[in-house]
Amino acid sequence: MRFAPLTATSTTSTRRHHQKRTNTTTPLKRISQKKNKTSSSFNRRSIITMSSTGGENGEKIQKSDAEWKKSLTAQQFQVLRLKGTEPARTGEYDKFYPSEGHFVCAGCGNALYSAESKFNSGCGWPAFDKCYEGSVSTNIDETFGMRRVEIVCAKCDGHLGHVFENEGFTETAERHCVNSVSVKYVEGECEKKEAKVIDGTSVTGGARNALSMLIRPALYFAIGYSALNILANSASSFMTRGAQ
């Protein structure tokens, strides 16, 4: 029995028929594939949005300790990454009051405070009464038997210091007590809006603020007067014993 040889036309027709059967997808399957693809893309976007909480472009900076040590000085690493504190009245910016410019995070460059927000609190560390909106985050710090509000850079989580309320220094009723080594001064203005880092409802208003401004000097005077009396009495007692 003889078989007719395959022609070019019959071969092409067979290949097209095979491809058509192979690529055939039911409408229901195509819808499912499209849905899965859309869902996967949405999930990726959701993860990025949820993890983006700080910085100018909305993305957090995450590095290992080894990577931070390469870009920071030993003192910067101790304060920014290990939450240390520089000695009082030793910082570069403690008595530095520029008329313009702003301060950025020493770790990542995120703009934190305007020069206008800096004031003299006499505490021994740079003090600011407000920050750029969204640039600073807070944590509850319960170390050393105290309950304080820690402030960190919202972009890299670098430790800045602590924020204190209702001391009567300025109208915002906030004092951001910041380590000099945690920030860097930059010339030029920043166009970001400024805001309090703690919700405004925690401030009870001008009456309490004014009362605080009256009580604080009196309290400081009483403490100083008592301390001087103690020193004077101790010195007198020492001299009396020496004379005997």
Side-chain angles (χ1 to χ4, degrees):
M1 179 181 293
R2 295 183 179 180
F3 295 94
L6 292 174
T7 63
T9 302
S10 61
T11 303
T12 303
S13 177
T14 302
R15 185 181 297 110
R16 287 176 179 174
H17 179 69
H18 177 71
Q19 290 175 346
K20 184 177 181 181
R21 292 188 61 186
T22 303
N23 296 331
T24 299
T25 306
T26 63
L28 182 61
K29 188 173 183 180
R30 286 198 298 271
I31 293 174
S32 177
Q33 290 175 343
K34 184 177 181 180
K35 183 178 180 181
N36 290 337
K37 184 177 180 180
T38 303
S39 175
S40 177
S41 177
F42 175 78
N43 288 337
R44 286 196 297 271
R45 288 197 298 270
S46 297
I47 291 172
I48 292 173
T49 302
M50 290 173 64
S51 63
S52 300
T53 58
E56 295 180 0
N57 58 1
E59 295 183 0
K60 296 278 286 187
I61 292 180
Q62 296 181 348
K63 295 182 181 181
S64 65
D65 285 348
E67 290 173 320
W68 280 119
K69 285 181 178 180
K70 291 181 180 179
S71 60
L72 301 175
T73 66
Q75 188 181 20
Q76 287 175 334
F77 181 81
Q78 177 66 27
V79 175
L80 282 167
R81 308 317 308 175
L82 301 182
K83 303 183 185 301
T85 302
E86 66 188 7
R89 310 186 193 284
T90 63
E92 178 182 1
Y93 302 124
D94 178 32
K95 298 297 183 182
F96 177 62
Y97 301 101
S99 59
E100 58 183 14
H102 61 285
F103 295 84
V104 302
C105 174
C108 67
N110 182 32
L112 301 173
Y113 301 103
S114 68
E116 184 182 357
S117 69
K118 193 174 188 298
F119 69 97
N120 183 11
S121 69
C123 67
W125 292 272
F128 304 86
D129 68 351
K130 54 186 173 292
C131 60
Y132 289 124
E133 194 171 30
S135 65
V136 177
S137 299
T138 61
N139 300 313
I140 299 300
D141 179 6
E142 296 183 335
T143 58
F144 304 110
M146 298 181 288
R147 184 178 178 85
R148 297 176 294 173
V149 180
E150 179 196 14
I151 46 178
V152 299
C153 172
K155 189 173 183 180
C156 70
D157 289 329
H159 175 74
L160 302 175
H162 295 85
V163 59
F164 302 92
E165 291 186 280
N166 300 318
E167 295 177 321
F169 284 110
T170 70
E171 294 180 357
T172 66
E174 283 190 355
R175 174 172 64 91
H176 295 226
C177 186
V178 179
N179 291 279
S180 287
V181 74
S182 296
V183 297
K184 287 183 179 180
Y185 171 73
V186 177
E187 295 182 351
E189 299 302 323
C190 178
E191 299 300 326
K192 289 183 177 182
K193 294 181 179 179
E194 295 181 276
K196 297 172 56 176
V197 73
I198 298 178
D199 187 82
T201 57
S202 63
V203 180
T204 57
R208 178 175 175 179
N209 214 24
L211 183 62
S212 176
M213 293 182 72
L214 292 174
I215 293 176
R216 185 166 49 86
L219 180 62
Y220 288 170
F221 175 80
I223 293 174
Y225 183 77
S226 299
L228 287 175
N229 278 338
I230 293 173
L231 289 175
N233 290 334
S234 298
S236 176
S237 176
F238 177 78
M239 293 175 65
T240 301
R241 286 198 301 268
Q244 293 176 352

